[in-house]
Amino acid sequence: MRSLRGLGVDEGRGMVIDTTGRAATRRTAEAVLVVYLLFVVMMIGTVPTPLLSTYAARDGLSSVTVTVVFAVYAIAILVTLTRGGRLSDRWGRVPVIAVAAAVSLAAVGVFASGAALAPLLIGRVLSGVSVGLMTGVATAYLGDASGDRRRAALIAGLANMLGLGAGALLGGVVADRVDDPLRTPYLVMAASLVPAAMLIAVRETRPRVEIVDGGRPSGAGRSPLGPSFATAALGVFTAFAQLGIVAALTSTFVPAVLHVHSLTIVGAAVCASFGAAAVGQLSATVIGPRRGASTSRVLLAAGACGIAIGAATSTAAALGAGVIVGGLGAGGLFRSGLTTVSQQAPPDRVAGVVSMYFAAAYAGLSVPVVGIGALTLVAGLPTAAIVFSVAVIVAAIVSSPVVLARSQCAEEEG
């Protein structure tokens, strides 16, 4: 006999209604909305990447200034992740998601003003804040809603990588085809945020936590930031350093050294890197954590080697191969670490711990961008790219035995 749990009765018609099915459909729709908003917020973060050469030409920006434009975005992300990552653990997921979407809308509004350097910097800061807020809370929301943190980490990771890649591609493609390349891409992104209005109907998955013990949430004294977190953070720092090298090179190296001035190609190069990282995540899921960690590090080192060769010889083929292969490795490391930290975090600290993981990732993303810009002033762009590529190779090799040992222990315990 079928259980009556989850069934309701329509008294007017005498019909039995399956409310469980309705609830499941609604939960799915809410999760899809959150994933979509995560994707769009990440897109907005990289839309300006292929446009930086256009900004530089219009406003006479130096390479140092372009580096600052990159840096303020990364700093805003890091500050938000480290200072505000636990907000949703305390106040609930949906309000923080709504704030992130609102800040992202403000960012595209500032970008679309079409003014010079100051609005560009302000827009980058706002975009960084929105990314910093959204990354941890979206992952936590999906884990709460599904009860499956492993699957939530995969979905959120894919949305992250695909959003970052799609934003750069959209920025380049639209800018190459319109009369107002520094305004139109942002208007497209503003329209993409319209569905955020539906957040008003999204149900909360994390009730507000009462404040105890001098203003700290109950359970906040337990620290999950142990050796496994440190290992995951080291891996994702190295992985995103590889992606950061690509971000630094595409906006300057491609037009200046390879003499390619198509914004579509610049955006496609960034998209290829993050797209390969998305594929790397899926591959790591299939082959398992231990083999995935070792394979990802080999791919990461090989990709960095390709970029170094491409930079030294001004060879587009070597550079392209390095971008793709390195992206595969970066995605595998990112996936492995995100799954680990999201599963091991206490339920009342998921968003905070995931945000700290993303802080390590974006620290890795920002260091090469700023470092390459600074080193370029002394040694030139190709040399700077080679130095940081070699640094990624060394980091991948040095960290590999430690990570493999911890992965083996984790598998044995599981």
Side-chain angles (χ1 to χ4, degrees), residues 351-377:
V353 173
V354 170
S355 292
M356 291 300 296
Y357 177 77
F358 276 104
Y362 281 100
L365 187 67
S366 61
V367 168
V369 173
V370 177
I372 288 175
L375 191 55
T376 297
L377 299 176

Side-chain angles (χ1 to χ4, degrees), residues 267-411:
V270 179
C271 184
S273 178
F274 286 107
V279 175
Q281 290 186 64
L282 295 173
S283 300
T285 302
V286 173
I287 65 179
R290 182 183 178 188
R291 186 179 299 175
S294 59
T295 302
S296 294
R297 277 173 169 72
V298 171
L299 291 173
L300 198 66
C305 184
I307 290 176
I309 293 172
T313 63
S314 299
T315 304
L319 188 65
V323 166
I324 298 297
V325 174
L328 290 169
L333 283 178
F334 171 79
R335 159 67 175 157
S336 176
L338 181 58
T339 300
T340 298
V341 300
S342 62
Q343 286 186 318
Q344 293 185 1
D348 60 346
R349 298 196 63 187
V350 175
V353 173
V354 170
S355 292
M356 291 300 296
Y357 177 77
F358 276 104
Y362 281 100
L365 187 67
S366 61
V367 168
V369 173
V370 177
I372 288 175
L375 191 55
T376 297
L377 299 176
V378 179
L381 183 57
T383 301
I386 293 169
V387 168
F388 277 87
S389 295
V390 170
V392 168
I393 295 171
V394 172
I397 294 173
V398 170
S399 65
S400 182
V402 176
V403 174
L404 288 176
R406 296 204 178 280
S407 296
Q408 184 175 13
C409 290
E411 285 187 349

Side-chain angles (χ1 to χ4, degrees), residues 11-178:
E11 295 181 357
R13 298 184 181 182
M15 297 174 61
V16 177
I17 303 171
D18 188 347
T19 56
T20 303
R22 285 185 181 179
T25 301
R26 180 176 176 180
R27 283 195 301 271
T28 300
E30 292 169 344
V32 168
L33 176 62
V34 170
V35 172
Y36 170 80
L37 291 176
L38 172 61
F39 177 80
V40 171
V41 167
M42 302 309 293
M43 282 186 71
I44 291 170
T46 53
V47 165
T49 300
L51 308 180
L52 288 176
S53 59
T54 305
Y55 280 111
R58 186 194 70 174
D59 301 325
L61 305 181
S62 67
S63 60
V64 175
T65 304
V66 172
T67 299
V68 171
V69 171
F70 269 110
V72 295
Y73 170 69
I75 291 171
I77 293 174
L78 289 172
V79 171
T80 305
L81 285 168
T82 54
R83 299 293 183 182
R86 290 178 54 202
L87 287 177
S88 75
D89 287 330
R90 175 175 171 180
W91 300 105
R93 313 299 190 205
V94 177
V96 177
I97 293 172
V99 170
V103 174
S104 195
L105 181 61
V108 293
V110 173
F111 284 136
S113 68
L117 180 59
L120 176 60
L121 291 173
I122 294 171
R124 291 290 277 174
V125 170
L126 291 174
S127 180
V129 170
S130 66
V131 168
L133 288 173
M134 183 65 84
T135 48
V137 66
T139 306
Y141 176 91
L142 295 173
D144 294 341
S146 67
D148 186 344
R149 293 192 195 177
R150 180 184 294 270
R151 184 181 180 189
L154 175 61
I155 293 172
L158 290 173
N160 254 277
M161 294 297 185
L162 294 175
L164 290 169
L169 182 61
L170 180 140
V173 169
V174 174
D176 268 342
R177 288 160 175 77
V178 298

